[in-house]
Amino acid sequence: MMTRFHAVIPARFGSTRLPGKPLLDIAGKPMVIRVYERALLSNAGSVVIATDDERIAEAAAKAGARWVMTSPDHPSGTDRLQEVAARMGWADDEIIVNVQGDEPLIPPDVINQVAANLAANPQAAMATLAEPLHEVTQFTNPNIVKLVRDHQNMALYFSRAPIPWARDAFSQGVASLPARDMYLRHLGIYAYRVSFLHRYVGWSPAPLEQLEALEQLRALHYGARIHVDLAAANLPPGVDTAEDLERVRQLFA
């Protein structure tokens, strides 16, 4: 049975490395519109761009995309999603998938997968995805978020630090990863129930969330469970740097 859900694309104009990132041109269209078109290929009942900037709203309107103007004061994309859910009047039991606005190559199957996983796991408040890590450079890179999960595929922790730490294998340094399938890279796509979003925005930021700069740690701090599955399709890297942008432009060309 097909899971019913909404897809929301948070799009902020401000970006430290690429200012105005959602509006950067990719083969004749703003990046946020490229993401919107990918989300339309999923099973989402509706796709909405959530922005705090008139320029992005104007680009969305010009492309015929659905958009919502949200507060510029949200500390995170999760808070922005909650405002969209409230403005749209979506019911507590409905599912929202947060599609990152800088992933113009995101496979629609991945969007469907994370929504279906949340629907299939009522004990979870959120669902997200991961992929295996094989390179030591990724394992030790603080910009790549790692995670560990339990036997029910529920997240135990997310960190920018290298986890899990193989005590014996790494005793002489991290030259290679042990040949095991437990080294995972977190992929930044989430599914939420609307009722959880309403609870989340009422919680104070958690100390670990602030320490690691990872908003999903707020959910774990307050006892919410996060389902983690391996992505069903390869998720191409998003656009964080000028080099990423050029690579994506070449793929579209």
Side-chain angles (χ1 to χ4, degrees):
M1 187 176 70
M2 192 170 71
T3 303
R4 294 180 65 252
F5 66 94
H6 306 282
V8 178
I9 306 166
R12 289 176 56 252
F13 191 84
S15 170
T16 49
R17 284 183 283 192
L18 283 175
K21 183 160 68 167
L23 298 181
L24 294 174
D25 182 87
I26 297 178
K29 295 181 181 180
M31 176 157 58
V32 69
I33 300 305
R34 290 292 182 189
V35 177
Y36 183 84
E37 290 173 343
R38 297 298 288 174
L40 286 177
L41 297 174
S42 74
N43 295 335
S46 62
V47 180
V48 180
I49 295 169
T51 188
D52 59 1
D53 191 278
E54 292 286 355
R55 291 162 289 188
I56 296 172
E58 189 177 323
K62 184 177 178 181
R66 195 175 183 187
W67 59 275
V68 173
M69 185 65 72
T70 58
S71 167
D73 301 325
H74 290 307
S76 73
T78 311
D79 294 271
R80 196 174 307 282
L81 255 68
Q82 186 272 340
E83 182 184 348
V84 173
R87 295 268 296 273
M88 291 292 191
W90 290 335
D92 280 356
D93 61 349
E94 293 193 76
I95 290 173
I96 300 177
V97 175
N98 181 345
V99 179
Q100 301 283 2
D102 57 5
E103 295 190 353
L105 297 168
I106 188 167
D109 286 350
V110 166
I111 301 173
N112 296 335
Q113 179 189 9
V114 73
N117 286 351
L118 183 57
N121 289 275
Q123 75 277 34
M126 296 169 54
T128 190
L129 298 173
E131 65 183 9
L133 268 177
H134 302 294
E135 303 292 332
V136 167
T137 53
Q138 292 182 315
F139 185 61
T140 55
N141 183 349
N143 293 317
I144 292 177
V145 178
K146 279 70 66 174
L147 67 97
V148 288
R149 56 184 182 165
D150 67 15
H151 72 289
Q152 295 180 309
N153 293 336
M154 296 294 168
L156 293 170
Y157 193 62
F158 297 82
S159 184
R160 298 183 182 279
I163 57 172
W165 188 261
R167 186 195 64 176
D168 296 337
F170 297 156
S171 61
Q172 304 301 317
V174 190
S176 63
L177 294 178
R180 294 178 181 165
D181 60 358
M182 62 177 64
Y183 295 92
L184 300 176
R185 171 185 186 160
H186 180 227
L187 303 176
I189 184 168
Y190 296 100
Y192 309 88
R193 288 188 180 82
V194 170
S195 57
F196 169 74
L197 288 174
H198 294 328
R199 294 202 313 276
Y200 181 94
V201 297
W203 293 333
S204 300
L208 288 171
E209 170 194 3
Q210 295 174 311
L211 195 68
E212 297 243 26
L214 296 174
E215 62 189 82
Q216 65 270 37
L217 293 178
R218 189 185 313 181
L220 293 183
H221 178 82
Y222 288 99
R225 304 185 77 189
I226 305 175
H227 183 270
V228 184
D229 198 8
L230 297 181
N234 178 50
L235 193 65
V239 177
D240 286 319
T241 64
E243 292 75 22
D244 294 338
L245 178 65
E246 190 53 42
R247 172 181 47 78
V248 169
R249 281 173 171 166
Q250 290 174 3
L251 286 170
F252 272 90

